[in-house]
Amino acid sequence: MAKKKNTMSRRKFIGNSCAALGYTTLFSSLINLKAMAAAATDNSAIIPYGGDYKALVCLMLSGGNDSFNMLIPKGNNEYSEYATTRSNLAIPQNDILQINPNTSDGRVFGLHPQLADMQQLFEGGNLAFLSNVGTLVEPSTKSDIRNNLVKTPLGLFSHSDQSQQWQTGNPGERSNIGWGGKIADLVQSMNSSENISMNISLRGTNIFQRGDQITPYTIKNSGSVGINGYGGNGFFNELKTDALNSMLEKDYQDIYKNTYKNTVKASNDANLAFQSAVDGVQDFITPLPEDNNLAEQLRMVAKTIGARDTLGFSRQIFFVEIGGFDNHDELLLSHGDNLKEVNDALSYFNSLMFELNTNDCVTTFSVSDFSRTLTSNGNGTDHAWGGNAFMMGGAVNGKEIYGDYPTLALDSDLDLRNGILVPTTAADLYMAELALWFGVSRSDLNMVLPNLSNFYDTNSGTAPLGFMNIT
């Protein structure tokens, strides 16, 4: 039997669709509001700032990075201590890539053999490390903790709690507001953009970028997340585009429908503007590493930075993430593969920053749930506490190891048990240093980090740690 020819016109399709589904249902079927809601941020009080540009790129190493196999003792005495404690998980001494900090306490350190590019970044002064940093509510010693004399972070050793606390900067309570979001609330007036949030995430919604006023604008490695099929080619995409445009151009007497329509329209306009801006950035010369999702995320970060003038940004905060660090088993293989991806992605991103002439303006920093036990559980490691982080960019006072690299001998004054180290540097100091460089005033630091006064006097006139070139 011959098929009946479809004679429905676009006008009839739009009318029938609206009548059958209702406006709200059709909107919901066409629009990913969760991914687009942040695009409609209300910046009605924007004050043009003009001039410099700064961006923070938060790199989340999800699962708990075994960071004492990232930054490793290499000198004979300290390596012997490391090898004894780490047993079958120790990296061979001759494989460790030596680094030469400007400031030395006599010990020799190096990096995991998969971090050759990071070694070069460090030696070139574009990368630094921070040792034995972790979430703390107040200064704590092993004795204080064992005798319950200090308040410790909620849910210590828990993935969900510790990941959240690194993002909130408030380990004494559970919160859904992040320190990156609080910073954005304070400095958003530096941007002239009215429709797109300054906080942009490549890995969906997150607590770190959520403030009281600001929510993250989530994008994909390929760019903005818009309305499926909107503006696309093909009969049904064209019908869908016409239908949506018809709805967005209409004024509704119902205040709720009108507000909903305006929100969707602002989101759609922001999506189109964002994608047009990043598509207008010239292709990069540096080749993208193959099969490297983190590099793909950082490529879109770079494209967004390249479009900063078009989009109207003087300040931006980005969130990228790589998972797979919860290595209870097969640590040496899995951890090495993850570090290789990080190494290649950071080297690539560093090159892109030089292509854009923004290396001095962009600071990338790592966070993780926690470090891992120094002792082996057989073929992997378990959840621990204090660990090592890194910072990259032209504004970083590089080629240094900040904080206090601990002794890795078991039963030390920092070892709670099984190589779980009490942090000697509070994460608050790490975050405060980045916030100051970004433009947060000293008087506002305690609002961003509620426990900071337990570790740092904001009136001291000195930097919290000194790893940033704060002008």
Side-chain angles (χ1 to χ4, degrees):
M1 183 172 62
K3 292 183 179 180
K4 184 176 180 180
K5 184 178 180 181
N6 187 343
T7 58
M8 183 180 292
S9 68
R10 285 188 185 176
R11 185 182 300 274
K12 187 175 182 181
F13 173 86
I14 293 170
N16 288 355
S17 296
C18 294
L21 297 176
Y23 285 110
T24 300
T25 303
L26 185 57
F27 275 144
S28 298
S29 69
L30 298 178
I31 300 169
N32 181 354
L33 284 176
K34 181 178 180 181
M36 298 176 65
T41 302
D42 180 13
N43 288 335
S44 56
I46 289 295
I47 303 171
Y49 184 74
D52 67 332
Y53 172 82
K54 288 183 179 180
L56 288 171
V57 181
C58 177
L59 168 53
M60 184 74 182
L61 309 177
S62 288
N65 178 29
D66 192 309
S67 59
F68 288 101
N69 263 13
M70 177 181 74
L71 177 62
I72 312 169
K74 184 175 172 63
N76 289 334
N77 291 336
E78 52 268 26
Y79 181 82
S80 176
E81 181 182 80
Y82 158 85
T84 299
T85 297
R86 302 241 68 184
S87 61
N88 64 315
L89 301 179
I91 303 296
Q93 186 176 12
N94 290 336
D95 292 345
I96 298 171
L97 305 175
Q98 183 171 329
I99 56 175
N100 304 285
N102 290 327
T103 305
S104 173
D105 62 2
R107 292 180 292 176
V108 180
F109 295 95
L111 305 182
H112 189 283
Q114 293 285 17
L115 301 180
D117 292 320
M118 289 178 65
Q119 176 197 33
Q120 294 305 310
L121 289 171
F122 182 91
E123 294 298 310
N126 220 48
L127 187 107
F129 289 94
L130 176 59
S131 187
N132 201 26
V133 59
T135 56
L136 290 168
V137 179
E138 56 186 328
S140 304
T141 66
K142 175 179 175 178
S143 176
D144 289 338
I145 295 166
R146 287 187 167 179
N147 291 300
N148 295 316
L149 299 177
V150 292
K151 187 175 181 180
T152 56
L154 293 174
L156 193 57
F157 316 130
S158 155
H159 282 295
S160 58
D161 284 300
Q162 292 305 291
S163 175
Q164 179 185 83
Q165 289 165 26
W166 267 103
Q167 294 181 63
T168 64
N170 189 6
E173 62 181 64
R174 294 182 174 93
S175 171
N176 65 352
I177 302 297
W179 63 275
K182 291 179 181 179
I183 289 175
D185 286 342
L186 291 169
V187 306
Q188 63 172 316
S189 61
M190 293 182 177
N191 297 321
S192 60
S193 175
E194 296 185 358
N195 294 321
I196 301 173
S197 172
M198 64 173 279
N199 284 1
I200 295 180
S201 171
L202 274 292
R203 295 293 281 184
T205 57
N206 60 83
I207 295 173
F208 167 65
Q209 293 180 307
R210 185 184 302 136
D212 289 318
Q213 305 168 47
I214 292 290
T215 52
Y217 181 40
T218 61
I219 62 175
K220 301 184 296 183
N221 295 356
S222 58
S224 182
V225 180
I227 301 168
N228 185 27
Y230 183 87
N233 297 322
F235 179 70
F236 286 102
N237 284 339
E238 291 172 3
L239 292 180
K240 188 182 294 185
T241 300
D242 284 351
L244 185 62
N245 286 340
S246 175
M247 296 176 206
L248 296 182
E249 291 166 4
K250 182 179 177 64
D251 284 326
Y252 303 95
Q253 292 185 352
D254 187 314
I255 187 173
Y256 298 107
K257 286 183 179 180
N258 220 43
T259 299
Y260 186 54
K261 181 265 295 187
N262 289 336
T263 299
V264 173
K265 187 176 188 305
S267 298
N268 189 48
D269 290 346
N271 164 63
L272 296 175
F274 180 89
Q275 196 62 44
S276 175
V278 297
D279 286 345
V281 176
Q282 187 174 358
D283 289 340
F284 298 118
I285 298 171
T286 307
L288 178 71
E290 294 183 4
D291 300 321
N292 190 317
N293 184 268
L294 179 59
E296 292 178 12
Q297 293 177 58
L298 290 171
R299 177 182 177 274
M300 184 47 60
V301 170
K303 294 275 282 187
T304 307
I305 291 171
R308 63 193 180 281
D309 292 336
T310 302
L311 293 171
F313 287 115
S314 286
R315 292 290 187 276
Q316 288 184 286
I317 299 175
F318 297 91
F319 182 84
V320 297
E321 182 179 21
I322 173 175
F325 283 89
D326 193 18
N327 302 136
H328 291 278
D329 193 20
E330 296 293 343
L331 175 100
L332 289 177
L333 178 62
S334 299
H335 191 238
D337 289 344
N338 282 336
L339 290 183
K340 172 64 173 171
E341 182 172 348
V342 170
N343 174 82
D344 294 354
L346 287 180
S347 177
Y348 171 70
F349 186 61
N350 181 71
S351 295
L352 299 191
M353 293 302 94
F354 277 100
E355 285 192 39
L356 292 170
N357 197 30
T358 54
N359 184 56
D360 292 342
C361 311
V362 180
T363 300
T364 303
F365 64 97
S366 72
V367 299
S368 191
D369 315 26
F370 34 62
S371 191
R372 307 189 73 82
T373 54
L374 297 176
T375 56
S376 170
N377 64 16
N379 201 27
T381 52
D382 299 319
H383 303 177
W385 196 356
N388 306 311
F390 57 79
M391 306 77 71
M392 183 183 81
V396 173
N397 295 320
K399 205 179 181 187
E400 294 283 11
I401 300 174
Y402 294 88
D404 298 311
Y405 198 97
T407 174
L408 301 187
L410 294 179
D411 299 321
S412 72
D413 290 341
L414 295 176
D415 178 21
L416 280 179
R417 63 181 184 278
N418 300 324
I420 296 174
L421 298 181
V422 179
T424 46
T425 296
D428 302 62
L429 297 173
Y430 184 27
M431 300 166 185
E433 182 100 5
L434 293 164
L436 280 174
W437 172 79
F438 197 63
V440 175
S441 68
R442 290 179 178 274
S443 61
D444 286 330
L445 281 178
N446 287 313
M447 183 170 64
V448 175
L449 301 163
N451 300 310
L452 180 62
S453 61
N454 293 335
F455 309 99
Y456 175 66
D457 179 3
T458 57
N459 297 315
S460 65
T462 61
L465 292 170
F467 65 81
M468 294 300 299
N469 182 15
I470 300 172
T471 56

